[in-house]
C-alpha cells in the first residue's frame, strides 16, 4: 500500500478555522485527520502540503517511521505549526491502518482500558448567575458529571486584583451551589496570570469549592514557577495544551509540577506521541485530561486514545449534535449521559463530509486581544 495524495481542507466552524487532512492510497483506502487551529492556519496547511512531497509513495502504515521523517527530517524541533501539521497527517495514517486491518484504532494501540469515555463541556456566562444557569442547563441536557469554567470575571485585566479575587469567588461559588457537590468543576484561567503569588491567591480563593483542577494557573514557559506554585497549594494543577511532543513534557513531569497534564492530540504530535507522553506521565503518577477545543475528528482521535490509556482522566468536549460540527462529518461520536461510546467501525470510525466542508470556507481569525487599564497588552 502506498500514499498517493494528501488533501487539505481549511474549514471555519464559527469561532476558528480548522485544517482537515485526507490521505489517499493506491488501494482505495483513505484516512482523515485534524490539525490544530494555531491561528496562522494557512501556514499549517502549507506545511502539510510540503510534507506530502515527502510522503507520497510510502507505506502509510509505517507510522513511527513517517512521524520521524516529518519531525526529525525537519531538522529544527517543531513549534505549533509544524507539530500541528504532523498531528493531522498522523491521525489519517492511523485511520488507514485501522481500516486496512479491519479494526478500530484503539485495538491497534493497546485495546480497551474502559468501555466509555468521560467528557466535560464549558458553560458560558458573564455574570455568576448566567454561568450557573448555563452549567445546570448543560448537565440536564447532556448528563455531564463534570464541567469546566473560566473563573476570572470578564474584563478582569483592567480591574484591581482584590476585586478580581472577589468576583472570581462569586462565580465559582454560584456554580458550585447550582450544580451541587457531586459535579466536578474544572477551572481555567487560560494561562493569563504571570506571577506565582497571584496564582496562589486565586487557588486559595477557589479551594473551598473543591475544584477538580485549576488549568494553566500560570504561563507555561517556566516550569520552575509552576513547581513553586504546586508546592504551596493543595488544589490539583493542570497544564500542557501549549507543550509539544514528549520532549517538552519530560522536564515538567520530572519536576512534579502538576497532577494532570493536558496535551492536545492535534498539536503535540498525534495519537502515538500522546501514548508516549501518557506512559511517561503514568510513571510519575500523573493523569491525562486531553485538551480538545476544536472539531469532531479531533474528538474521535481522542476517544481512541482514551479508550486505550489507563491514566486517562477526562476529555474536553464540544457537543457535535448540531450546526456545522454535525454537518461536516458523517456521524460524530455518540454521547450518552456524559460519556462518549467507543466506536466499533474500522479506523477512527468517523468520516468527513467533503461537500459540506466547502460551505464553511476560511475566514481570517485571531483570538480577541485583551488590554490592561494602562494600554499594555494582557496575556491572551
Amino acid at each position: 500500500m502506498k500514499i498517493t495524495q494528501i488533501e487539505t481542507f481549511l474549514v471555519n466552524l464559527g469561532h476558528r478555522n480548522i485544517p482537515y487532512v485526507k490521505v489517499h492510497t493506491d488501494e482505495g483506502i483513505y484516512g482523515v485527520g485534524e490539525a490544530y487551529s494555531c491561528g496562522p492556519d494557512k501556514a499549517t496547511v502549507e506545511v502539510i502540503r510540503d510534507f506530502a512531497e515527502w510522503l507520497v509513495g510510502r507505506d502509510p502504515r509505517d507510522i513511527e517511521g513517517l512521524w520521524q521523517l516529518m519531525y526529525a527530517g525537519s531538522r529544527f524541533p517543531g513549534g505549533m505549526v509544524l507539530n500541528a501539521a504532523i498531528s493531522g497527517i498522523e491521525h489519517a495514517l492511523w485511520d488507514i491502518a485501522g481500516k486496512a486491518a479491519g479494526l478500530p484504532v484503539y485495538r491497534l494501540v493497546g485495546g480497551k482500558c474502559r468501555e466509555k469515555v468521560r467528557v466535560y463541556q464549558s458553560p458560558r456566562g458573564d455574570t455568576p448567575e448566567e454561568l450557573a444557569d448555563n452549567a445546570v442547563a448543560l448537565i440536564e441536557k447532556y448528563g455531564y458529571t463534570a464541567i469546566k469554567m473560566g473563573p476570572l470575571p470578564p474584563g478582569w485585566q483592567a480591574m484591581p486584583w482584590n476585586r478580581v479575587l472577589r468576583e472570581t469567588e462569586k462565580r465559582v461559588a454560584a456554580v458550585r451551589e447550582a450544580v451541587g457537590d457531586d459535579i466536578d468543576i474544572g477551572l481555567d484561567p487560560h494561562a493569563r496570570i504571570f506571577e506565582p503569588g497571584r496564582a496562589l491567591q486565586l487557588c486559595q480563593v477557589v479551594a473551598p469549592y473543591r475544584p477538580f483542577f485549576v488549568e494553566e494557573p500560570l504561563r507555561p514557559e517556566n516550569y520552575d514557577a509552576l513547581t513553586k506554585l504546586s508546592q504551596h497549594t493543595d488544589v490539583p494543577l493542570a497544564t500542557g495544551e501549549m507543550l509539544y511532543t514528549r520532549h517538552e513534557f519530560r522536564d515538567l513531569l520530572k519536576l512534579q509540577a502538576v497532577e494532570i497534564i493536558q496535551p492536545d492530540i492535534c498539536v503535540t504530535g498525534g495519537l502515538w506521541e500522546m501514548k508516549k507522553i501518557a506512559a511517561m506521565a503514568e510513571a510519575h503518577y500523573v493523569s491525562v485530561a486531553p485538551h480538545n477545543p476544536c472539531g469532531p475528528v479531533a474528538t474521535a482521535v481522542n476517544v481512541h486514545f482514551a479508550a486505550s490509556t489507563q491514566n486517562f482522566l477526562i476529555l474536553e468536549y464540544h457537543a457535535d449534535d448540531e450546526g456545522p460540527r454535525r454537518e461536516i462529518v458523517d456521524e460524530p461520536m455518540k454521547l450518552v449521559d456524559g460519556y462518549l461510546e467507543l466506536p466499533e467501525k474500522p479506523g477512527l470510525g468517523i468520516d468527513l463530509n467533503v461537500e459540506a466542508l466547502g460551505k464553511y470556507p476560511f475566514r481570517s481569525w485571531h483570538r480577541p486581544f485583551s488590554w490592561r487599564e494602562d494600554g499594555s497588552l494582557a496575556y491572551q
Side-chain angles (χ1 to χ4, degrees):
M1 183 187 297
K2 303 297 181 185
I3 296 172
T4 57
Q5 181 188 8
I6 298 180
E7 287 186 280
T8 57
F9 309 89
L10 191 51
V11 181
N12 185 278
L13 292 187
H15 67 296
R16 65 171 76 217
N17 302 292
I18 297 180
Y20 285 104
V21 183
K22 191 171 185 179
V23 177
H24 298 266
T25 72
D26 58 357
E27 294 188 12
I29 299 175
Y30 63 85
V32 299
E34 180 174 323
Y36 190 70
S37 174
C38 296
D41 304 306
K42 288 184 177 180
T44 304
V45 169
E46 289 304 316
V47 175
I48 293 170
R49 289 172 177 167
D50 195 55
F51 279 145
E53 298 179 11
W54 305 11
L55 301 182
V56 167
R58 296 180 179 272
D59 192 319
R61 296 165 296 185
D62 293 334
I63 298 172
E64 175 71 16
L66 297 183
W67 192 96
Q68 292 294 341
L69 175 62
M70 291 184 285
Y71 182 81
S74 297
R75 187 187 176 197
F76 288 91
M80 63 180 182
V81 173
L82 185 136
N83 284 303
I86 292 174
S87 300
I89 293 171
E90 193 257 14
H91 302 164
L93 300 182
W94 279 112
D95 194 21
I96 291 169
K99 290 173 179 175
L103 295 169
V105 167
Y106 62 79
R107 295 289 185 193
L108 305 182
V109 293
K112 290 192 290 187
C113 292
R114 51 185 47 82
E115 298 298 328
K116 55 185 180 180
V117 175
R118 189 185 185 202
V119 298
Y120 68 82
Q121 192 170 339
S122 298
R124 308 296 181 190
D126 289 339
T127 68
E129 295 75 19
E130 290 174 349
L131 193 58
D133 289 345
N134 288 338
V136 170
L138 280 178
I139 292 166
E140 291 179 347
K141 182 176 181 179
Y142 295 111
Y144 296 126
T145 61
I147 59 167
K148 186 177 76 178
M149 57 173 282
L152 299 169
W156 70 272
Q157 294 94 335
M159 295 179 185
W161 181 244
N162 281 340
R163 181 183 171 189
V164 173
L165 294 176
R166 292 197 308 273
E167 296 295 330
T168 293
E169 184 172 8
K170 290 178 184 177
R171 288 166 66 84
V172 178
V175 174
R176 172 55 74 198
E177 181 178 0
V179 303
D181 291 334
D182 295 333
I183 297 293
D184 287 322
I185 303 175
L187 305 177
D188 187 4
H190 292 288
R192 291 171 175 167
I193 299 174
F194 186 69
E195 309 94 333
R198 292 190 192 277
L200 178 58
Q201 289 179 321
L202 182 138
C203 288
Q204 290 170 335
V205 162
V206 302
Y209 306 99
R210 301 169 302 283
F212 195 24
F213 53 78
V214 175
E215 174 179 337
E216 291 194 311
L218 289 171
R219 295 288 306 170
E221 296 95 340
N222 189 331
Y223 298 166
D224 289 329
L226 194 56
T227 303
K228 177 182 177 181
L229 173 62
S230 71
Q231 292 169 345
H232 290 85
T233 182
D234 292 329
V235 173
L237 303 181
T239 196
E241 69 181 70
M242 289 188 266
L243 304 181
Y244 317 124
T245 76
R246 76 206 87 139
H247 304 295
E248 292 198 352
F249 281 91
R250 180 186 59 246
D251 290 340
L252 177 73
L253 292 167
K254 183 171 64 176
L255 289 169
Q256 297 184 315
V258 294
E259 288 80 11
I260 300 164
I261 58 169
Q262 299 173 301
D264 191 303
I265 212 159
C266 293
V267 74
T268 199
L271 172 60
W272 195 234
E273 189 67 11
M274 280 265 285
K275 294 286 292 183
K276 295 177 180 180
I277 293 167
M280 293 168 55
E282 186 177 11
H284 288 84
Y285 293 7
V286 171
S287 296
V288 185
H291 180 245
N292 181 42
C294 294
V297 174
T299 294
V301 184
N302 272 298
V303 165
H304 290 272
F305 166 81
S308 60
T309 303
Q310 178 63 26
N311 57 327
F312 164 81
L313 180 64
I314 196 167
L315 175 66
E316 182 176 10
Y317 176 70
H318 293 257
D320 295 324
D321 56 351
E322 59 186 20
R325 301 177 66 91
R326 175 64 189 89
E327 192 174 356
I328 65 170
V329 294
D330 62 339
E331 186 177 352
M333 299 290 103
K334 186 176 181 181
L335 180 69
V336 179
D337 295 332
Y339 288 79
L340 291 171
E341 295 187 344
L342 304 187
E344 294 298 334
K345 296 178 182 178
L348 294 175
I350 197 168
D351 198 4
L352 292 171
N353 180 352
V354 174
E355 291 184 1
L357 297 180
K359 294 173 59 177
Y360 304 100
F362 168 86
R363 296 203 308 265
S364 182
W365 170 88
H366 63 76
R367 285 183 179 276
F369 298 130
S370 299
W371 304 95
R372 300 187 183 98
E373 185 65 25
D374 65 0
S376 62
L377 182 68
Y379 285 109
Q380 302 303 302

